[in-house]
Amino acid sequence: MAEIPSMRIAHCSDVHITEDYFALPLHRLGWRRWMALAELTVGGRARRYARAPQALAAIARDAQAAQVDHFILSGDLTAYALDAEFSGARQSLGALAEDPRRCTVIPGNHDVFTPGSHRTGRFAKYFGHLLESDLPEYRREGAFPFVRLLGTEAAVVGLLSARVPRTPGLSYGVIGEAQLGGLAALLKDARLEGRAILVVVHHAPLNPHGRPDRWHHGLRDADALLKLLPGPRYAVLHGHIHRRYHHPATADRPHVFGAGSSTESGHEGYWLIDVADGQVSGGQQQTPAL
């Protein structure tokens, strides 16, 4: 008999709310975004995400209608970290993003695309209230790792892997020894005993084929992360790779859920992930009602 889920989590990622770059003065964009204009035009990114605000709003509405217990967005809210893009993502999520009890959001590499966006805390301006922690003593790098205790069945742990790239085209991620040490310590905390642990990080520990991602795009300390999370009690929820997939847990490895790009035209979607008896029991792919 199938386990009856006691908790349901919605997971989306890489929503890439995109401003009209050609309506902005070039001097405001900076050289990194100048290079990205080719991706927006020739690469077709602007066209693929033209309706991203509407798609994200639909996902948020669906999640609330389904009465999910928690909503997770694992980074890349923006195209290239403009203030208006963060504002648009916040507006699309609406009331769902007002309460850390209901929503967890972490930054992706596109959300720290320029040194200025990182230095001025642009992500935190709109989503910093969602980085609160129920166990703040385990923070090791700014707000990370943060912990959200969900009822008595689950906990969400947020990690930071997104770093300002040295140059566009280098989009690998690093969690770092400090955060991994904090994660290792908090996993031993008695307040997490018996709970399913859902670890949210932007970069993918495994690609769709179950192998490490490319060196310039992947999570550099993926192995160290996965070794801390053995078995179906644990899941890693990520984005970055624009494909939606699930690697089930094994005895020595957690579930891995890649949410893909949830608002890309023709590929809109997200995960509903079930928790039962203190373990992650499975997930179903969903398409929003646009």
Side-chain angles (χ1 to χ4, degrees), residues 58-107:
I59 291 170
R61 286 195 303 271
D62 283 5
Q64 292 180 93
Q67 297 182 318
V68 299
D69 296 280
H70 202 73
F71 183 92
I72 293 172
L73 202 170
S74 54
D76 276 4
L77 288 82
T78 67
Y80 302 111
L82 287 177
D83 199 273
E85 293 171 342
F86 283 110
S87 176
R90 181 67 183 80
Q91 291 174 11
S92 291
L93 287 170
L96 186 63
E98 293 177 3
D99 185 1
R101 298 290 100 202
R102 301 175 65 197
C103 185
T104 292
V105 178
I106 62 167

Side-chain angles (χ1 to χ4, degrees), residues 159-176:
L159 297 174
L160 175 67
S161 63
R163 311 293 172 174
V164 179
R166 295 181 180 180
T167 183
L170 291 178
S171 55
Y172 59 83
V174 178
I175 299 169

Side-chain angles (χ1 to χ4, degrees), residues 255-275:
H255 291 275
V256 176
F257 288 95
S261 182
S262 293
T263 61
E264 183 177 1
S265 179
H267 302 279
E268 297 91 347
Y270 61 100
W271 282 105
L272 287 180
I273 299 171
D274 292 331
V275 171

